[in-house]
Amino acid sequence: MRRAAAGIDRHRRACRARHARRHAPAAHGRSVAGQARTFSTQLATYTSVGFDAVPGWSRDDFSESWPAFLGSCKVLTGRGAEWREVCERALKVDGKNNNAIRGFFEGAFSAYQIRDDDRRPDGVVTGYFEPEIAGSRQYGAPFIYPVYGQPEDMLFADARKLPAGNGTVAARVDGRSVVVQTGLSTRDMGAPGLYALDLSAISRDTLDRKVRLRIEGKQLLPYYTREEIETKGAPNAKVLAFVSSATALYEMQIQGSGRIKLPSGELIRVAYAEQNGQPFRPTLAKAANGKPRSPVKVRGSSIELQLDDGDDDDVGAVDSGAIRTRGFTLARPVASGAVVVPGRRAAGAVAGSGIKDPSYVFFKEATSPVGGPVGAFGVPLSAGRSIAVDPRSTPLGYPVFVSTRTPGSGAPMQRLTIAQDTGGAIRGAVRADYFFGNGQQAATNARRMKERGQLWILLPRGLAVAQAATSSAIRTRGGPVGANLPQCLVPSEDSCVDD
């Protein structure tokens, strides 16, 4: 009886989906999921496929990903009618019935394979985890490295509203926002409340299109680099705790969250709060032939990981000669010393951590002591079912089917995941980062995970997305020649933002 009712329900859903596809209005210059066979952004091409063509789709246990999907729905219901309808229907699905969940996804979504800007289907799948490091609320050896909250003196400018070129412009500060003043020249810089902003010194290539700035005298400058923070301090940032290892803190910054274990046994859970706006430029460990162990490519201010086939070095421990984290094999600092702590006299010379990466992550204390850490999408992560992605090509909150291999054994690893996080190290169209959870086993699996993989994004039928691709266009890195393609598949306020 239940099976017959489920069949009727699937038929009704299919009819509603067909009706939605027929009557959904197509936004100007955009495609509609479920109607368009293929469409593109600057970084990716999306091709419609049937669910039976997705490897491993029929074998997955969808009940494992269901809680993560419902968590995303709490945010996605505010993203338009398509998502609101999908998430309302999801509440009526039996979350323990694998066939019912599979039927829901097949009826409400269309699957699109993601390919990079050269139309290659293969990309890189890595792993990350929630690290735990020793620390203290009080400063004192060996706990001498501060874990900072978001600085109060950090200002933000909308990169889309900045004038073109590399000149100097006048700007005002309104709260935390920097607003460029049009019609003023450099002669007006001395007026009260005006600051000079040198456009040549800033980086506009951020996913959220925000430029991080600070005031120095009558100038607006890029926010401090890692070296400046370590050697000058961050007096306008609250210190959440102190830890004993600069390298472990750096890994926690790359992971984006972590736990700090105090001498009393108490745990402080921290989550990503902000970043200094400087590009992610890690110092990569080198192999015996002098080449980086983790091949990368650089585009603008971002660095993208490439697959290193044949490199099976299991470099995972923080105290080894290198650090394997999120697919990068990083070199440990040659020399590491004390850093400046605001309000405290340094015991000896301030050498800094020796870490050359200019980017720096600020944290906030997480309110929930249980469950997974909160990712960039604002919901707790689910071990094995949440992934971090590049939001330019894979919007946060969306279901993504991943086909890759299990670290170590090489067995097929094919499952539905939910894109709920991102990070400075996660760049590229066919790019996913599995969240393995916390604990030693999670750390081991995450550090070993670096495999070839393919991705299929599930889009609600009728959703307006990027514009359609033209088959006659000449493809180059960055998109078809002459086409003004959007950067984002689905622009949203908190992740990828189109110009």
Side-chain angles (χ1 to χ4, degrees), residues 247-330:
T247 306
L249 174 58
Y250 180 45
E251 183 180 34
M252 190 169 76
Q253 290 177 322
I254 294 177
Q255 299 293 332
S257 64
R259 302 179 180 193
I260 302 171
K261 189 171 185 178
L262 305 181
S264 64
E266 178 190 355
L267 289 175
I268 303 173
R269 202 168 200 176
V270 295
Y272 173 92
E274 253 300 341
Q275 194 255 2
N276 63 345
Q278 301 287 342
F280 175 63
R281 289 286 184 270
T283 302
L284 301 177
K286 293 184 179 181
N289 60 6
K291 295 182 178 180
R293 285 184 178 176
S294 300
V296 299
K297 54 185 176 183
V298 178
R299 295 187 182 183
S301 64
S302 65
I303 184 169
E304 297 179 10
L305 186 67
Q306 293 180 290
L307 195 69
D308 48 354
D309 286 328
D311 182 8
D312 295 324
D313 290 345
D314 186 13
V315 184
V318 172
D319 58 353
S320 67
I323 311 164
R324 183 72 173 262
T325 181
R326 301 193 93 159
F328 292 88
T329 305
L330 309 181

Side-chain angles (χ1 to χ4, degrees), residues 40 42 45 117-119 469-483 485:
S40 295
Q42 294 175 16
T45 291
D117 53 0
D118 282 339
R119 301 205 177 191
T470 54
S471 59
S472 60
I474 302 173
R475 299 290 295 189
T476 64
R477 303 201 69 81
V481 172
L485 293 173

Side-chain angles (χ1 to χ4, degrees), residues 5 67 75 77 83 132 142 172 226 239-240 273 278 290 292 323-324 355 363-364 373 375 383 425 437 442 479 493:
V75 179
T77 49
W83 271 114
E132 181 178 304
R172 292 188 185 276
R226 173 179 298 274
V239 177
L240 306 180
Q278 301 287 342
I323 311 164
R324 183 72 173 262
I355 298 169
F363 292 101
K364 59 185 176 184
E493 183 179 352

Side-chain angles (χ1 to χ4, degrees), residues 8-19:
I8 294 171
D9 187 48
R10 282 198 298 271
H11 175 73
R12 288 173 177 170
R13 288 199 303 267
C15 290
R16 285 198 298 267
R18 285 194 295 270
H19 177 82

Side-chain angles (χ1 to χ4, degrees), residues 109-182:
F109 293 85
S110 292
Y112 285 84
Q113 184 166 23
I114 305 176
R115 296 172 182 263
D116 70 10
D117 53 0
D118 282 339
R119 301 205 177 191
R120 294 173 301 186
D122 291 338
V124 185
V125 180
T126 53
Y128 70 116
F129 67 105
E130 184 184 25
E132 181 178 304
I133 57 180
S136 172
R137 289 284 192 184
Q138 287 76 41
Y139 177 86
F143 305 115
I144 62 173
Y145 296 100
V147 181
Y148 285 117
Q150 180 177 341
E152 295 180 2
D153 62 341
M154 182 181 287
L155 306 176
F156 302 91
D158 189 335
R160 297 167 297 173
K161 297 180 180 178
L162 297 179
N166 295 320
T168 299
V169 296
R172 292 188 185 276
V173 175
D174 182 10
R176 288 288 191 96
S177 300
V178 173
V179 182
V180 171
Q181 304 298 289
T182 58

